[in-house]
Amino acid sequence: MQDHAPPPEPQDDGSVADAYSRNWVDRYAPTAARPYLRLSRADRPIGTWLLLLPCWWGLALAMLYDGQARWFDLWIFVGCALGAFLMRGAGCTWNDITDREIDAGVARTRSRPIPSGQVSVRGAAVWMIVQALIAFLILISFNAAAIRLGVLSLIPVAIYPFAKRFTWWPQVFLGLAFNWGALLAWTAHTGRLDAPAVVLYLAGIAWTLFYDTIYAHQDTEDDALIGVKSTARLFGDRSPQWLRRFLMATVGLMGIAVVYAGLPQASALALVVALAGPWAMGWHMAWQLRGLDIHNPQKMLQLFRANRDTGMIPLLFFGAALLL
């Protein structure tokens, strides 16, 4: 195994080791608010994008499915963005509360607000509830079916932090939580849950297995020492082969979802354009595989962050298909 410098220790200003340098929280947020915004990962926006993009996929394919676009869809679009920011923050706060002892033993995470002493567990719990309540106010502006789905989403969110303790596949539980928005946004538009949304949800879970296995390779040595399980540890040097399988599952399932969604209403040209979305997404994932170096934590973080663009690619094609 190659030798690499350890992650940087927390700075005097309380910044977190794996945050973007000179991020807006460290530069512009009020000093008193910074620990709480760091707890919500506001200084690391990639997670919000990864939670949000499946929501927008679901909304776009729902409009392709029934051929309708209403003004309320604009609110669904905006509401999903606000909700993703808030629920990602609440989920990360819950994760950091439950993982505070684990985080203290991992070089990359010991600078987080709870293990570093910036925020108390009680303060974090209050902050989590505040974020969740604001997100709930957004949720209740949707239809009844979407509200029920939104409440159900709390189950995988609550389970995920504990998954690494009892299964080698905690990334599956992350996928269940992070892609729920595909179901919710579809239902917020159509008023019901249909098969294309479920297949799209499965595609998102496969994508999560891809990017979070890459992410987990940053911590394999520390995870092994403290007994934390992950697909990165399970696959080890076989990770590239498994990542290719997740790539194929993502592209194949998303392609099926597009066909299901497009056949009732979309034109042949719109369907072809929409199908180009998962195809192009697959090429971007293949590009990540070409640069894979599981023994280089900085490279793994770089590739993980590239998945914002990965998830944006099919959305652009779905949007173009809606215009045809």
Side-chain angles (χ1 to χ4, degrees), residues 208-226:
T208 301
L209 281 162
F210 179 89
Y211 66 66
D212 205 58
T213 297
I214 291 174
Y215 182 81
H217 267 291
Q218 297 176 86
D219 301 325
T220 50
E221 293 184 4
D222 285 332
D223 287 349
L225 288 173
I226 59 181

Side-chain angles (χ1 to χ4, degrees), residues 22-311:
R22 296 180 59 78
N23 62 80
W24 74 271
V25 173
D26 294 344
R27 295 176 66 188
Y28 303 118
T31 302
R34 288 177 187 174
Y36 295 93
L37 291 171
R38 291 169 184 143
L39 197 59
S40 298
R41 312 286 201 274
D43 54 345
R44 287 152 286 170
I46 179 60
T48 299
W49 281 110
L50 296 176
L51 184 62
L52 172 59
L53 287 167
C55 302
W56 284 350
W57 296 347
L59 176 61
L61 287 190
M63 290 192 285
L64 191 69
Y65 180 71
D66 63 12
Q68 298 182 39
R70 299 178 291 270
W71 280 111
F72 190 71
D73 293 322
L74 181 60
W75 167 240
I76 297 174
F77 183 89
V78 174
C80 283
L82 296 173
F85 178 81
L86 290 163
M87 285 309 298
R88 190 256 182 150
C92 288
T93 304
W94 169 242
N95 186 79
D96 283 8
I97 291 172
T98 60
D99 280 0
R100 58 189 183 276
E101 294 181 5
I102 293 174
D103 286 346
V106 176
R108 185 179 58 83
T109 58
R110 65 170 61 108
S111 58
R112 288 177 177 176
I114 296 178
S116 65
Q118 298 177 57
V119 178
S120 68
V121 173
R122 182 177 180 179
V126 171
W127 178 236
M128 175 185 69
I129 292 169
V130 168
Q131 293 172 97
L133 287 176
I134 298 172
F136 182 70
L137 293 177
I138 296 171
L139 177 65
I140 60 176
S141 70
F142 297 160
N143 58 52
I147 294 171
R148 288 193 292 271
L149 275 173
V151 173
L152 281 175
S153 72
L154 296 178
I155 297 174
V157 170
I159 293 173
Y160 166 67
F162 302 101
K164 65 177 74 71
R165 295 164 169 84
F166 63 80
T167 178
W168 287 100
W169 294 81
Q171 281 70 25
V172 171
F173 288 87
L174 181 66
L176 291 170
F178 255 57
N179 295 281
W180 200 274
L183 306 176
L184 194 150
W186 176 288
T187 305
H189 172 84
T190 64
R192 63 186 186 277
L193 185 59
D194 299 292
V198 176
V199 179
L200 182 66
Y201 178 57
L202 295 175
I205 293 172
W207 179 44
T208 301
L209 281 162
F210 179 89
Y211 66 66
D212 205 58
T213 297
I214 291 174
Y215 182 81
H217 267 291
Q218 297 176 86
D219 301 325
T220 50
E221 293 184 4
D222 285 332
D223 287 349
L225 288 173
I226 59 181
V228 169
K229 299 178 174 68
S230 71
T231 50
R233 286 191 62 208
L234 177 64
F235 303 153
D237 290 337
R238 295 177 292 118
S239 288
Q241 293 94 313
W242 278 96
L243 292 174
R244 289 188 192 96
R245 293 167 188 162
F246 298 145
L247 185 163
M248 291 186 289
T250 302
V251 173
L253 288 166
M254 187 177 289
I256 293 170
V258 169
V259 171
Y260 264 121
L263 282 178
Q265 298 286 342
S267 67
L269 179 58
L271 186 57
V272 169
V273 170
L275 279 171
W279 177 83
M281 180 182 185
W283 276 107
H284 196 272
M285 295 168 75
W287 166 78
Q288 292 182 54
L289 285 179
R290 287 196 294 272
L292 196 71
D293 181 356
I294 63 172
H295 303 306
N296 185 338
Q298 291 302 315
K299 184 63 175 180
M300 293 297 94
L301 180 60
Q302 178 188 0
L303 292 177
F304 166 73
R305 287 173 172 171
N307 279 276
R308 181 202 62 179
D309 297 340
T310 309

